[in-house]
Amino acid sequence: MADTIDALLRDAAHRHATKDAVVEPGTRLTYRELDIQTLELAAAFLDAGINKGCRVGLLMPNGVQWARIAFALTRVGAVLVPLSTLFTPPELSAALRTAAVQHLIAVDEFRGRRYLDDLPPAGDLPALRTVHRTAALPAEGGGAAHRVADVLARTVRPADPLAILFTSGSSGAPKGVRHSHGNAIDAVRSGLAARRVDADTRLYLPMPFFWVGGFAGGLMSALVAGATLVTEAVPEPDSTLRLLTAEGVTLFRGWPDQADALARHRDQAGAAPADLSALKPGSLEALLPEGERSRPGSRARLFGMTESFGPYCGYPADTDMPESAWGSCGKPFDGMTVRVVDPDTGTPVSTGEAGMIQIRGPHVMQGICRRSREEVFTADRYYPTGDLGHLDADKFLFFDGRADDMFKVSGATVYPSEVERALRGLTGVRAAFVTNVAGPAGERVGAAVVCDAPTTVADLRAAARAVLSPFKVPTVWALLDDEDAVPRGATGKVDAARLRAMLLLR
């Protein structure tokens, strides 16, 4: 079984030679072309002094060229360091230092940002040797370099480092997470069936390739499955709808709010005509016909993180779970062991009891930049995720929030995700977002709620009392007309600090 990027590319070129591998508006690359062009580009990198083991930063938007560069580097054993196009100059410098990037490949400009103009002096980035502009990259290396690239690619082993990915956490400095070829590819392979990605899939995923959602869930998933990935540098409602229609996309994955926004735009007067009939169940449901949508909570929410190279827990995306598991994230994938422990003592808790989620298995990262193994893993090699959850008797995993999100009200612990689930179950509530809000007597429960029908805070509070313990019932409310009013960070995640500030004004 292919377990390096080079082996995957050679195998895909043999099995799916003329099939589209990566498509963007105006450009497409078949698997045969991807195999040939990445080896030619790898030879050019060797000529430029980028060899096996070199850490190479890649800073550019989604597209065919991103895929071509990333696979050219990794097939000959260079270590890819995807860099966010959203980084500010200080954030970019910090990432380059954290990963000790030796070679940087970057666009001149994207969405008004000129990244290379703001790089610090060479002395502030002691590991950095060369900077290459994507527009000036050669298409291929010399004949001798091509032969060396071909031989070198075959020496890469599953245990060799593949990439350093930066987390997109909502608080704290991003971490540089190290993955090998073997652990990353196996992690992707373990989740393909749950995501419903196979060789016949035409996948659209708007997540940036520089995050694990885009790199693992998009590029790597397509390569491992032999599927076609459809992408674009700057998703906009009209252009995205045209692209989905033109390319006959069968699977739309990503953040649910992206699909919600796209569906709302599609239904507006004057929107570009769109034919999304090729979409299959397993796609984000806002874009599916009414009759193909599941009942709330019946489908698993794929659950994972950068440290596990994407989802490590799920259930077939087009299949209802047993009713007892509704609202869960599904079950751990093959190869992943999940346990729940007391956050303070590290002792495993009883079935159904909430605690800290820890994971162990061959799909988990190799480590984190600038941290020792002892700092990252427990003595028995589990990784403490910082997520809270519980396992039921059938081993379905329920997510109960982040350890740094839980808070206490009058000495009792409140999990925001538990309150959110309860509020979403109330009649007329479409979405709910919960956090702690400071008050004169201590922490209070605050909720921003989006409703489908007119209602009042008094009505919502009364309904919430029927399903929540008194201390969990929100005392600070914001009734919103639309989810777009919820403050979010650059990753699309809810910005808890801004949500608290918004609630304090109510």
Side-chain angles (χ1 to χ4, degrees):
M1 186 176 289
D3 46 16
T4 66
I5 297 299
D6 178 67
L8 284 173
L9 288 167
R10 294 178 195 269
D11 183 65
H14 173 70
R15 292 174 180 267
H16 314 291
T18 59
K19 180 193 292 185
D20 288 334
V22 189
V23 176
E24 66 178 340
T27 308
R28 61 187 65 238
L29 210 59
T30 67
Y31 273 105
R32 178 183 291 138
E33 292 168 335
L34 183 63
D35 179 43
I36 293 170
Q37 292 183 22
T38 54
L39 197 60
E40 291 173 342
L41 185 54
F45 288 140
L46 292 177
D47 277 342
I50 300 175
N51 298 292
K52 184 177 181 180
C54 289
R55 295 176 296 279
V56 186
L58 180 57
L59 178 56
M60 64 185 302
N62 284 16
V64 168
Q65 181 71 334
W66 202 106
R68 186 188 284 119
I69 293 171
F71 289 145
L73 291 166
T74 53
R75 77 179 300 174
V76 292
V79 182
L80 177 69
V81 185
L83 297 165
S84 172
T85 58
L86 303 173
F87 276 156
T88 62
E91 290 171 332
L92 175 58
S93 297
L96 293 172
R97 282 192 293 270
T98 297
V101 168
Q102 297 162 293
H103 305 274
L104 175 61
I105 300 171
V107 291
D108 285 323
E109 183 272 340
F110 178 61
R111 304 191 88 168
R113 296 173 184 248
R114 298 189 62 83
Y115 308 98
L116 301 183
D117 291 351
D118 295 317
L119 285 180
D124 291 345
L125 297 172
L128 190 62
R129 302 175 190 169
T130 64
V131 175
H132 304 268
R133 299 177 184 274
T134 55
L137 287 177
E140 58 184 300
H146 191 283
R147 290 190 295 274
V148 172
D150 185 50
V151 172
L152 186 60
R154 297 177 189 272
T155 70
V156 177
R157 296 291 177 259
D160 288 338
L162 168 73
I164 296 172
L165 298 176
F166 284 94
T167 60
S168 56
S170 57
S171 63
K175 298 174 291 188
V177 178
R178 299 185 288 108
H179 287 283
S180 69
H181 285 251
N183 91 257
I185 291 169
D186 284 347
V188 169
R189 192 174 279 130
S190 72
L192 287 180
R195 291 199 295 271
R196 287 306 191 229
V197 179
D198 58 29
D200 295 323
T201 300
R202 296 183 69 82
L203 170 66
Y204 177 86
L205 190 143
M207 293 178 173
F209 293 165
F210 51 73
W211 285 327
V212 73
F215 185 45
L219 270 182
M220 291 289 290
S221 290
L223 179 60
V224 172
T228 296
L229 180 66
V230 180
T231 188
E232 55 187 334
V234 184
E236 296 287 353
D238 279 334
S239 62
T240 297
L241 289 170
R242 284 194 296 268
L243 185 61
L244 298 176
T245 299
E247 294 299 331
V249 167
T250 63
L251 189 66
F252 186 113
R253 302 294 299 173
W255 289 300
D257 61 310
Q258 293 171 313
D260 292 341
L262 200 59
R264 289 196 299 272
H265 180 84
R266 175 193 59 186
D267 297 337
Q268 290 176 353
D275 178 5
L276 306 185
S277 58
L279 286 178
K280 295 181 178 180
S283 297
L284 293 178
E285 296 196 335
L287 297 174
L288 293 174
E290 194 76 37
E292 294 183 14
R293 299 178 191 175
S294 63
R295 291 166 290 178
S298 64
R299 303 282 169 87
R301 299 173 295 159
L302 291 176
F303 188 58
M305 59 199 320
T306 305
E307 292 89 334
S308 60
F309 206 69
Y312 63 82
C313 192
Y315 202 78
D318 57 0
T319 305
D320 287 358
M321 297 181 291
E323 279 200 50
S324 62
W326 284 19
S328 79
C329 305
K331 292 185 175 184
F333 295 148
D334 289 344
M336 186 67 73
T337 301
V338 175
R339 73 180 180 189
V340 181
V341 304
D342 182 283
D344 297 321
T345 67
T347 304
V349 301
S350 303
T351 297
E353 186 178 348
M356 171 84 74
I357 299 171
Q358 297 184 343
I359 58 176
R360 184 178 71 181
H363 307 160
V364 179
M365 63 180 172
Q366 291 183 317
I368 294 175
C369 291
R370 301 179 183 271
R371 297 191 192 178
S372 69
R373 175 166 287 277
E374 292 72 25
E375 291 178 281
V376 174
F377 298 100
T378 64
D380 52 355
R381 298 179 63 82
Y382 278 87
Y383 175 64
T385 64
D387 292 322
L388 299 169
H390 65 275
L391 287 162
D392 71 6
D394 296 315
K395 302 303 181 184
F396 282 90
L397 179 67
F398 291 77
F399 175 63
D400 293 322
R402 289 285 299 171
D404 50 7
D405 287 340
M406 70 176 184
F407 57 95
K408 291 185 180 292
V409 173
S410 300
T413 299
V414 175
Y415 296 99
S417 61
E418 178 191 7
V419 180
E420 288 172 352
R421 281 197 302 272
L423 295 181
R424 288 197 299 267
L426 302 182
T427 301
V429 174
R430 186 166 82 235
F433 307 88
V434 173
T435 189
N436 56 309
V437 179
E443 299 288 358
R444 300 172 290 170
V445 182
V449 178
V450 182
C451 296
D452 288 322
T455 188
T456 66
V457 168
D459 289 340
L460 288 172
R461 186 182 291 118
R465 285 178 181 144
V467 294
L468 287 168
S469 299
F471 69 90
K472 298 177 185 177
V473 175
T475 56
V476 183
W477 296 79
L479 304 188
L480 307 178
D481 296 326
D482 195 276
E483 286 185 49
D484 291 341
V486 178
R488 297 180 184 273
T491 70
K493 296 179 181 178
V494 174
D495 187 320
R498 289 166 56 204
L499 179 63
R500 291 186 195 102
M502 182 178 75
L503 287 164
L504 276 171
L505 297 175
R506 301 289 166 150

